[in-house]
């Protein structure tokens, strides 16, 4: 009996550590999380995108005068609401983050790995070399 309890405790600890190592977004993956936040915390790709976006947002805020910072903050709050409409849909969240990163990046200075490729559907499709391709 004692062996079973110790084994169960070890499995719970291992699962907890594995889930914490999965992603490290810009926010803490503890406490009460929305389905969107749970999806971000459960995905290393979404966690990486969240960190990149947060870093670009912080840089954009620090380089603006007070009124422009306030406007950017209002814009970010709206974006977070729009992001949350994805729920836990990883592909939707990924597209939202990719677009926000492009919006926040200084002109001509996208993060390494970001770029555009022509879409087979005739438009422009966002492509990131550091992430696996989106299913079509």
């Amino acid at each position: 009996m004692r062996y079973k309890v110790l084994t169960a405790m070890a499995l719970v600890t291992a699962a907890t550590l594995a889930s914490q190592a999965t992603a490290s977004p810009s926010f803490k993956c503890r406490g009460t999380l929305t389905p969107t936040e749970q999806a971000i915390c459960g995905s290393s790709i979404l966690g990486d995108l969240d960190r990149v976006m947060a870093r670009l947002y912080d840089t954009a805020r620090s380089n603006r005068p007070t009124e422009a910072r306030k406007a950017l903050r209002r814009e970010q709050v709206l974006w977070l609401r729009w992001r949350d409409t994805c729920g836990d849909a990883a592909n939707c969240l990924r597209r939202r983050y990719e677009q926000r990163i492009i919006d926040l990046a200084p002109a001509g200075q996208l993060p390494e790995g970001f770029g555009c490729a022509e879409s087979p559907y005739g438009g422009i499709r966002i492509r990131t070399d550091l992430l696996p391709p989106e299913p079509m």
Side-chain angles (χ1 to χ4, degrees):
M1 175 70 169
R2 183 178 162 133
Y3 175 74
K4 287 182 182 179
V5 171
L6 290 174
T7 302
M9 288 174 60
L11 289 173
V12 169
T13 302
T16 301
L17 291 173
S19 69
Q20 290 172 348
T22 302
S24 54
S26 64
F27 57 90
K28 294 189 188 323
C29 292
R30 290 186 292 239
T32 305
L33 301 174
T34 66
T36 298
E37 292 165 335
Q38 290 173 9
I40 295 164
C41 290
S43 165
S44 60
I45 291 171
L46 294 175
D48 288 346
L49 287 169
D50 183 77
R51 276 194 326 278
V52 169
M53 186 277 304
R55 188 175 63 241
L56 287 169
Y57 172 75
D58 289 342
T59 300
R61 278 193 83 224
S62 67
N63 294 331
R64 296 178 186 213
T66 303
E67 288 305 312
R69 279 197 307 271
K70 290 178 183 176
L72 183 63
R73 175 69 185 142
R74 287 190 300 271
E75 186 181 296
Q76 185 71 2
V77 168
L78 287 173
W79 179 82
L80 288 167
R81 289 181 187 155
W82 184 56
R83 177 202 69 181
D84 289 349
T85 64
C86 290
D88 62 358
N91 284 334
C92 177
L93 288 166
R94 180 177 159 175
R95 286 189 302 275
R96 298 279 200 270
Y97 271 102
E98 289 172 340
Q99 187 58 54
R100 187 64 175 153
I101 288 166
I102 288 170
D103 291 344
L104 289 170
Q109 296 179 18
L110 286 174
E112 186 177 336
F114 272 76
C116 291
E118 295 232 5
S119 166
Y121 306 107
I124 292 187
R125 180 171 172 243
I126 297 169
R127 174 184 55 79
T128 59
D129 295 334
L130 60 112
L131 301 173
E134 268 186 67
M136 292 201 183

